[in-house]
Amino acid sequence: MSKLEVAASTFPFLYSHDGLGAMKHLKGLGYDIFELMIFPPHCWPRELSAEKRKEYSAWLNGEGVRISSLCYPLLDNNPNGVDRLMREYTLDRYREAIDFAAEVSCPYVVAIPGPVNSLINPPHQWMLDWFVEGMKELLDHARGTGVELLLENVPFTYLPTAQDILDTANLIGPEIGINFDACNSAFIKEDPAEAIRMLGDKVKNVHISDSGYEEFLHARLGTGIVEPAPVAKALEDIGYNGVTVLEIITDALQPGADPDGDITASHGILADAGWKPLG
């Protein structure tokens, strides 16, 4: 099997750079594949002018680089919230992300189930029905664009496990894939490698970072519980040939933060475990 490709997420630069500026910065580190975060003011399609959209495409084409995925982290809204208006608002933002993905030849938009409240939540079936209904609407919107929707396993949602995400994807339809996050899986004490094997060819995109069990992080690899080598072996076992995104979340604006160092050090660990080296 050829070595796995690595992309860098623009997540550390949500507030320090716009999306295009963050990709240019990461290009300076040696990356030519990026996961672009969809979040204001970083990159918010509804506020992008036609000129700015052309600037994204022109730079990507001119540099011969690409966006592997758009990720919308849902920090402010919820596709399975109890308020119909919130659900509709969230789906509209996803539609804009899908349209922008098509413009910049990005194959995937990552969709995250909404967060839950730690005190009292709506019935699980309600949230599931709302989410499935909304994702089906988004699949209709994406049809013919060349953009696929991917569900991600996230601990603070009502669908935290790999099995939850697989079961929900099957309810939505065969067109939907999975963005598997190895750190999220390890944090809830799943075996990420076994989860990958269980998900099989549903896995279209992968996130990796590190965390401990005490605090949920997406930190530099080698600092916590995530073991890249078994993940690489599992990806090989399922015949995965997609991208692995270094989703390191270190706020570039915080004093003492070193996202560049965290990303490149993590890439070195991936290279030792079977991924392509940087540069």
Side-chain angles (χ1 to χ4, degrees):
M1 181 179 177
S2 59
K3 289 186 178 291
L4 296 157
E5 290 188 305
V6 180
S9 170
T10 66
F11 217 140
F13 311 105
L14 279 188
Y15 306 112
S16 63
H17 299 66
D18 69 7
L20 183 55
M23 290 191 293
K24 289 179 178 180
H25 177 81
L26 291 166
K27 176 73 165 58
L29 297 182
Y31 288 94
D32 56 12
I33 312 174
F34 316 98
E35 180 167 271
L36 178 60
M37 302 307 295
I38 298 299
F39 190 73
H42 183 70
C43 179
W44 201 229
R46 69 183 293 220
E47 295 178 359
L48 287 178
S49 66
E51 181 179 354
K52 190 66 175 180
R53 289 169 180 265
K54 289 177 183 176
E55 191 178 343
Y56 271 87
S57 294
W59 182 77
L60 291 164
N61 294 332
E63 293 290 335
V65 298
R66 61 191 170 100
I67 301 173
S68 58
S69 42
L70 301 185
C71 186
Y72 179 16
L74 293 180
L75 300 181
D76 283 340
N77 43 81
N78 189 343
N80 47 266
V82 293
D83 182 358
R84 178 179 292 277
L85 184 60
M86 175 53 70
R87 301 198 299 274
E88 291 174 353
Y89 172 87
T90 305
L91 294 181
D92 282 343
R93 305 292 77 76
Y94 269 118
R95 291 183 184 99
E96 291 163 355
I98 290 166
D99 294 344
F100 183 59
E103 288 181 45
V104 295
S105 301
C106 170
Y108 301 125
V109 171
V110 178
I112 298 171
V116 292
N117 188 298
S118 61
L119 296 176
I120 186 169
N121 299 305
H124 185 276
Q125 191 62 46
W126 291 12
M127 292 188 286
L128 182 62
D129 290 346
W130 290 328
F131 186 67
V132 169
E133 177 185 13
M135 294 304 105
K136 286 182 176 180
E137 290 182 27
L138 294 182
L139 286 181
D140 287 341
H141 185 82
R143 198 159 285 120
T145 65
V147 178
E148 295 182 50
L149 204 63
L150 306 182
L151 304 186
E152 182 177 346
N153 55 308
V154 179
F156 56 78
T157 72
Y158 76 106
L159 298 173
T161 71
Q163 188 67 60
D164 290 332
I165 288 296
L166 179 60
D167 291 344
T168 303
N170 289 335
L171 287 174
I172 295 166
E175 310 98 318
I176 203 158
I178 289 173
N179 178 90
F180 180 73
D181 191 304
C183 181
N184 292 349
S185 179
F187 181 75
I188 62 170
K189 301 184 179 180
E190 285 184 333
D191 180 333
E194 288 309 306
I196 289 167
R197 293 186 180 96
M198 183 266 293
L199 295 171
D201 62 6
K202 278 289 194 182
V203 178
K204 306 295 183 182
N205 201 54
V206 173
H207 287 175
I208 198 164
S209 57
D210 217 336
S211 182
Y213 289 123
E214 299 77 19
E215 182 181 6
F216 181 50
L217 301 170
H218 275 43
R220 177 192 296 223
L221 286 171
T223 61
I225 58 178
V226 175
E227 298 180 35
V231 171
K233 181 61 170 63
L235 292 173
E236 180 180 2
D237 289 347
I238 67 169
Y240 182 73
N241 60 4
V243 168
T244 300
V245 179
L246 273 170
E247 194 188 37
I248 307 300
I249 305 178
T250 306
D251 186 353
L253 290 182
Q254 292 301 310
D258 182 20
D260 293 357
D262 290 341
I263 291 167
T264 55
S266 297
H267 198 147
I269 291 172
L270 288 186
D272 289 341
W275 281 265
K276 287 183 178 179
L278 181 59

PDB file of all heavy atoms in Angstrom, residues 124-125 128-129 132-133 136 139 151 159 164-174 176 202:
ATOM      1  N   HIS A 124     -34.012  11.057  22.654  1.00  0.00           N
ATOM      2  CA  HIS A 124     -33.024  10.690  21.640  1.00  0.00           C
ATOM      3  C   HIS A 124     -33.660  10.524  20.265  1.00  0.00           C
ATOM      4  O   HIS A 124     -33.105  10.959  19.247  1.00  0.00           O
ATOM      5  CB  HIS A 124     -32.328   9.388  22.061  1.00  0.00           C
ATOM      6  CG  HIS A 124     -31.208   8.978  21.158  1.00  0.00           C
ATOM      7  ND1 HIS A 124     -31.418   8.268  19.987  1.00  0.00           N
ATOM      8  CD2 HIS A 124     -29.873   9.185  21.239  1.00  0.00           C
ATOM      9  CE1 HIS A 124     -30.262   8.056  19.395  1.00  0.00           C
ATOM     10  NE2 HIS A 124     -29.310   8.591  20.129  1.00  0.00           N
ATOM     11  N   GLN A 125     -34.836   9.895  20.217  1.00  0.00           N
ATOM     12  CA  GLN A 125     -35.480   9.654  18.928  1.00  0.00           C
ATOM     13  C   GLN A 125     -35.846  10.961  18.242  1.00  0.00           C
ATOM     14  O   GLN A 125     -35.782  11.057  17.010  1.00  0.00           O
ATOM     15  CB  GLN A 125     -36.723   8.779  19.110  1.00  0.00           C
ATOM     16  CG  GLN A 125     -37.302   8.257  17.797  1.00  0.00           C
ATOM     17  CD  GLN A 125     -36.322   7.355  17.052  1.00  0.00           C
ATOM     18  OE1 GLN A 125     -35.704   6.462  17.640  1.00  0.00           O
ATOM     19  NE2 GLN A 125     -36.168   7.583  15.745  1.00  0.00           N
ATOM     20  N   LEU A 128     -32.653  12.280  16.719  1.00  0.00           N
ATOM     21  CA  LEU A 128     -32.278  11.438  15.588  1.00  0.00           C
ATOM     22  C   LEU A 128     -33.155  11.735  14.379  1.00  0.00           C
ATOM     23  O   LEU A 128     -32.655  11.897  13.257  1.00  0.00           O
ATOM     24  CB  LEU A 128     -32.388   9.966  15.980  1.00  0.00           C
ATOM     25  CG  LEU A 128     -31.988   8.947  14.909  1.00  0.00           C
ATOM     26  CD1 LEU A 128     -30.527   9.106  14.535  1.00  0.00           C
ATOM     27  CD2 LEU A 128     -32.274   7.528  15.401  1.00  0.00           C
ATOM     28  N   ASP A 129     -34.461  11.838  14.582  1.00  0.00           N
ATOM     29  CA  ASP A 129     -35.375  12.113  13.476  1.00  0.00           C
ATOM     30  C   ASP A 129     -35.074  13.461  12.844  1.00  0.00           C
ATOM     31  O   ASP A 129     -35.056  13.584  11.599  1.00  0.00           O
ATOM     32  CB  ASP A 129     -36.828  12.075  13.960  1.00  0.00           C
ATOM     33  CG  ASP A 129     -37.301  10.678  14.309  1.00  0.00           C
ATOM     34  OD1 ASP A 129     -36.618   9.703  13.931  1.00  0.00           O
ATOM     35  OD2 ASP A 129     -38.357  10.558  14.973  1.00  0.00           O
ATOM     36  N   VAL A 132     -31.662  13.144  10.886  1.00  0.00           N
ATOM     37  CA  VAL A 132     -31.780  12.346   9.667  1.00  0.00           C
ATOM     38  C   VAL A 132     -32.552  13.126   8.604  1.00  0.00           C
ATOM     39  O   VAL A 132     -32.158  13.161   7.418  1.00  0.00           O
ATOM     40  CB  VAL A 132     -32.445  10.991   9.967  1.00  0.00           C
ATOM     41  CG1 VAL A 132     -32.827  10.269   8.677  1.00  0.00           C
ATOM     42  CG2 VAL A 132     -31.514  10.121  10.807  1.00  0.00           C
ATOM     43  N   GLU A 133     -33.642  13.758   9.006  1.00  0.00           N
ATOM     44  CA  GLU A 133     -34.432  14.552   8.060  1.00  0.00           C
ATOM     45  C   GLU A 133     -33.574  15.656   7.441  1.00  0.00           C
ATOM     46  O   GLU A 133     -33.587  15.868   6.222  1.00  0.00           O
ATOM     47  CB  GLU A 133     -35.637  15.170   8.780  1.00  0.00           C
ATOM     48  CG  GLU A 133     -36.485  16.073   7.899  1.00  0.00           C
ATOM     49  CD  GLU A 133     -37.607  16.771   8.664  1.00  0.00           C
ATOM     50  OE1 GLU A 133     -37.580  16.754   9.916  1.00  0.00           O
ATOM     51  OE2 GLU A 133     -38.486  17.334   8.009  1.00  0.00           O
ATOM     52  N   LYS A 136     -30.906  14.312   4.988  1.00  0.00           N
ATOM     53  CA  LYS A 136     -31.515  13.927   3.717  1.00  0.00           C
ATOM     54  C   LYS A 136     -31.769  15.157   2.841  1.00  0.00           C
ATOM     55  O   LYS A 136     -31.571  15.118   1.619  1.00  0.00           O
ATOM     56  CB  LYS A 136     -32.818  13.166   3.957  1.00  0.00           C
ATOM     57  CG  LYS A 136     -32.607  11.741   4.459  1.00  0.00           C
ATOM     58  CD  LYS A 136     -33.934  11.015   4.637  1.00  0.00           C
ATOM     59  CE  LYS A 136     -33.708   9.555   5.051  1.00  0.00           C
ATOM     60  NZ  LYS A 136     -34.990   8.835   5.228  1.00  0.00           N
ATOM     61  N   LEU A 139     -28.445  16.075   1.358  1.00  0.00           N
ATOM     62  CA  LEU A 139     -28.079  15.179   0.258  1.00  0.00           C
ATOM     63  C   LEU A 139     -28.788  15.587  -1.034  1.00  0.00           C
ATOM     64  O   LEU A 139     -28.189  15.570  -2.113  1.00  0.00           O
ATOM     65  CB  LEU A 139     -28.422  13.731   0.602  1.00  0.00           C
ATOM     66  CG  LEU A 139     -27.529  13.016   1.618  1.00  0.00           C
ATOM     67  CD1 LEU A 139     -28.007  11.591   1.822  1.00  0.00           C
ATOM     68  CD2 LEU A 139     -26.065  13.016   1.180  1.00  0.00           C
ATOM     69  N   LEU A 151     -20.506  12.223   7.862  1.00  0.00           N
ATOM     70  CA  LEU A 151     -20.831  12.354   9.279  1.00  0.00           C
ATOM     71  C   LEU A 151     -19.584  12.090  10.120  1.00  0.00           C
ATOM     72  O   LEU A 151     -18.801  11.196   9.815  1.00  0.00           O
ATOM     73  CB  LEU A 151     -21.916  11.355   9.681  1.00  0.00           C
ATOM     74  CG  LEU A 151     -23.229  11.373   8.909  1.00  0.00           C
ATOM     75  CD1 LEU A 151     -24.221  10.417   9.572  1.00  0.00           C
ATOM     76  CD2 LEU A 151     -23.808  12.772   8.827  1.00  0.00           C
ATOM     77  N   LEU A 159     -24.575  11.369  19.306  1.00  0.00           N
ATOM     78  CA  LEU A 159     -24.136  10.201  18.532  1.00  0.00           C
ATOM     79  C   LEU A 159     -22.617  10.086  18.660  1.00  0.00           C
ATOM     80  O   LEU A 159     -21.881  10.313  17.694  1.00  0.00           O
ATOM     81  CB  LEU A 159     -24.525  10.357  17.053  1.00  0.00           C
ATOM     82  CG  LEU A 159     -26.022  10.455  16.735  1.00  0.00           C
ATOM     83  CD1 LEU A 159     -26.232  10.781  15.259  1.00  0.00           C
ATOM     84  CD2 LEU A 159     -26.742   9.149  17.093  1.00  0.00           C
ATOM     85  N   ASP A 164     -22.781   4.430  16.477  1.00  0.00           N
ATOM     86  CA  ASP A 164     -23.863   5.414  16.349  1.00  0.00           C
ATOM     87  C   ASP A 164     -23.842   6.069  14.976  1.00  0.00           C
ATOM     88  O   ASP A 164     -24.887   6.224  14.320  1.00  0.00           O
ATOM     89  CB  ASP A 164     -23.714   6.520  17.405  1.00  0.00           C
ATOM     90  CG  ASP A 164     -23.999   6.057  18.825  1.00  0.00           C
ATOM     91  OD1 ASP A 164     -24.790   5.117  19.003  1.00  0.00           O
ATOM     92  OD2 ASP A 164     -23.424   6.661  19.752  1.00  0.00           O
ATOM     93  N   ILE A 165     -22.649   6.478  14.560  1.00  0.00           N
ATOM     94  CA  ILE A 165     -22.518   7.184  13.291  1.00  0.00           C
ATOM     95  C   ILE A 165     -22.823   6.259  12.118  1.00  0.00           C
ATOM     96  O   ILE A 165     -23.486   6.647  11.144  1.00  0.00           O
ATOM     97  CB  ILE A 165     -21.104   7.793  13.178  1.00  0.00           C
ATOM     98  CG1 ILE A 165     -20.970   8.979  14.134  1.00  0.00           C
ATOM     99  CG2 ILE A 165     -20.789   8.236  11.756  1.00  0.00           C
ATOM    100  CD1 ILE A 165     -21.883  10.153  13.826  1.00  0.00           C
ATOM    101  N   LEU A 166     -22.364   5.019  12.195  1.00  0.00           N
ATOM    102  CA  LEU A 166     -22.651   4.063  11.124  1.00  0.00           C
ATOM    103  C   LEU A 166     -24.144   3.794  11.023  1.00  0.00           C
ATOM    104  O   LEU A 166     -24.716   3.808   9.922  1.00  0.00           O
ATOM    105  CB  LEU A 166     -21.896   2.762  11.365  1.00  0.00           C
ATOM    106  CG  LEU A 166     -22.123   1.662  10.332  1.00  0.00           C
ATOM    107  CD1 LEU A 166     -21.699   2.120   8.931  1.00  0.00           C
ATOM    108  CD2 LEU A 166     -21.383   0.389  10.724  1.00  0.00           C
ATOM    109  N   ASP A 167     -24.784   3.559  12.165  1.00  0.00           N
ATOM    110  CA  ASP A 167     -26.225   3.284  12.151  1.00  0.00           C
ATOM    111  C   ASP A 167     -26.998   4.473  11.579  1.00  0.00           C
ATOM    112  O   ASP A 167     -27.956   4.291  10.819  1.00  0.00           O
ATOM    113  CB  ASP A 167     -26.718   2.983  13.569  1.00  0.00           C
ATOM    114  CG  ASP A 167     -26.197   1.660  14.111  1.00  0.00           C
ATOM    115  OD1 ASP A 167     -25.713   0.829  13.314  1.00  0.00           O
ATOM    116  OD2 ASP A 167     -26.268   1.465  15.348  1.00  0.00           O
ATOM    117  N   THR A 168     -26.579   5.682  11.940  1.00  0.00           N
ATOM    118  CA  THR A 168     -27.275   6.880  11.467  1.00  0.00           C
ATOM    119  C   THR A 168     -27.031   7.091   9.978  1.00  0.00           C
ATOM    120  O   THR A 168     -27.951   7.455   9.227  1.00  0.00           O
ATOM    121  CB  THR A 168     -26.820   8.108  12.269  1.00  0.00           C
ATOM    122  OG1 THR A 168     -27.058   7.863  13.661  1.00  0.00           O
ATOM    123  CG2 THR A 168     -27.595   9.351  11.863  1.00  0.00           C
ATOM    124  N   ALA A 169     -25.797   6.859   9.531  1.00  0.00           N
ATOM    125  CA  ALA A 169     -25.510   6.960   8.096  1.00  0.00           C
ATOM    126  C   ALA A 169     -26.395   5.994   7.304  1.00  0.00           C
ATOM    127  O   ALA A 169     -26.915   6.350   6.236  1.00  0.00           O
ATOM    128  CB  ALA A 169     -24.039   6.666   7.833  1.00  0.00           C
ATOM    129  N   ASN A 170     -26.598   4.803   7.830  1.00  0.00           N
ATOM    130  CA  ASN A 170     -27.440   3.825   7.147  1.00  0.00           C
ATOM    131  C   ASN A 170     -28.899   4.269   7.092  1.00  0.00           C
ATOM    132  O   ASN A 170     -29.621   3.941   6.137  1.00  0.00           O
ATOM    133  CB  ASN A 170     -27.319   2.462   7.821  1.00  0.00           C
ATOM    134  CG  ASN A 170     -25.966   1.810   7.576  1.00  0.00           C
ATOM    135  OD1 ASN A 170     -25.297   2.098   6.580  1.00  0.00           O
ATOM    136  ND2 ASN A 170     -25.553   0.931   8.483  1.00  0.00           N
ATOM    137  N   LEU A 171     -29.345   5.012   8.105  1.00  0.00           N
ATOM    138  CA  LEU A 171     -30.706   5.553   8.090  1.00  0.00           C
ATOM    139  C   LEU A 171     -30.857   6.652   7.041  1.00  0.00           C
ATOM    140  O   LEU A 171     -31.919   6.807   6.447  1.00  0.00           O
ATOM    141  CB  LEU A 171     -31.066   6.123   9.467  1.00  0.00           C
ATOM    142  CG  LEU A 171     -31.330   5.136  10.596  1.00  0.00           C
ATOM    143  CD1 LEU A 171     -31.521   5.902  11.912  1.00  0.00           C
ATOM    144  CD2 LEU A 171     -32.571   4.287  10.307  1.00  0.00           C
ATOM    145  N   ILE A 172     -29.804   7.421   6.846  1.00  0.00           N
ATOM    146  CA  ILE A 172     -29.869   8.563   5.937  1.00  0.00           C
ATOM    147  C   ILE A 172     -29.835   8.113   4.484  1.00  0.00           C
ATOM    148  O   ILE A 172     -30.593   8.599   3.646  1.00  0.00           O
ATOM    149  CB  ILE A 172     -28.725   9.547   6.236  1.00  0.00           C
ATOM    150  CG1 ILE A 172     -28.916  10.146   7.641  1.00  0.00           C
ATOM    151  CG2 ILE A 172     -28.670  10.662   5.196  1.00  0.00           C
ATOM    152  CD1 ILE A 172     -27.707  10.864   8.174  1.00  0.00           C
ATOM    153  N   GLY A 173     -28.935   7.184   4.166  1.00  0.00           N
ATOM    154  CA  GLY A 173     -28.876   6.694   2.800  1.00  0.00           C
ATOM    155  C   GLY A 173     -27.471   6.318   2.380  1.00  0.00           C
ATOM    156  O   GLY A 173     -26.488   6.711   3.013  1.00  0.00           O
ATOM    157  N   PRO A 174     -27.345   5.557   1.295  1.00  0.00           N
ATOM    158  CA  PRO A 174     -26.037   5.050   0.873  1.00  0.00           C
ATOM    159  C   PRO A 174     -25.098   6.128   0.353  1.00  0.00           C
ATOM    160  O   PRO A 174     -23.897   5.896   0.242  1.00  0.00           O
ATOM    161  CB  PRO A 174     -26.397   4.060  -0.248  1.00  0.00           C
ATOM    162  CG  PRO A 174     -27.728   4.527  -0.762  1.00  0.00           C
ATOM    163  CD  PRO A 174     -28.439   5.084   0.431  1.00  0.00           C
ATOM    164  N   ILE A 176     -24.182   8.816   1.815  1.00  0.00           N
ATOM    165  CA  ILE A 176     -23.452   9.521   2.856  1.00  0.00           C
ATOM    166  C   ILE A 176     -22.294   8.669   3.376  1.00  0.00           C
ATOM    167  O   ILE A 176     -22.415   7.454   3.517  1.00  0.00           O
ATOM    168  CB  ILE A 176     -24.394   9.937   4.013  1.00  0.00           C
ATOM    169  CG1 ILE A 176     -23.810  11.101   4.793  1.00  0.00           C
ATOM    170  CG2 ILE A 176     -24.731   8.778   4.933  1.00  0.00           C
ATOM    171  CD1 ILE A 176     -24.847  11.895   5.562  1.00  0.00           C
ATOM    172  N   LYS A 202     -17.093   2.858   4.418  1.00  0.00           N
ATOM    173  CA  LYS A 202     -17.823   4.089   4.712  1.00  0.00           C
ATOM    174  C   LYS A 202     -16.872   5.236   5.047  1.00  0.00           C
ATOM    175  O   LYS A 202     -17.237   6.404   4.960  1.00  0.00           O
ATOM    176  CB  LYS A 202     -18.791   3.868   5.882  1.00  0.00           C
ATOM    177  CG  LYS A 202     -20.108   3.235   5.521  1.00  0.00           C
ATOM    178  CD  LYS A 202     -20.990   4.197   4.746  1.00  0.00           C
ATOM    179  CE  LYS A 202     -22.421   3.737   4.660  1.00  0.00           C
ATOM    180  NZ  LYS A 202     -23.229   4.689   3.858  1.00  0.00           N
TER     181      LYS A 202
END
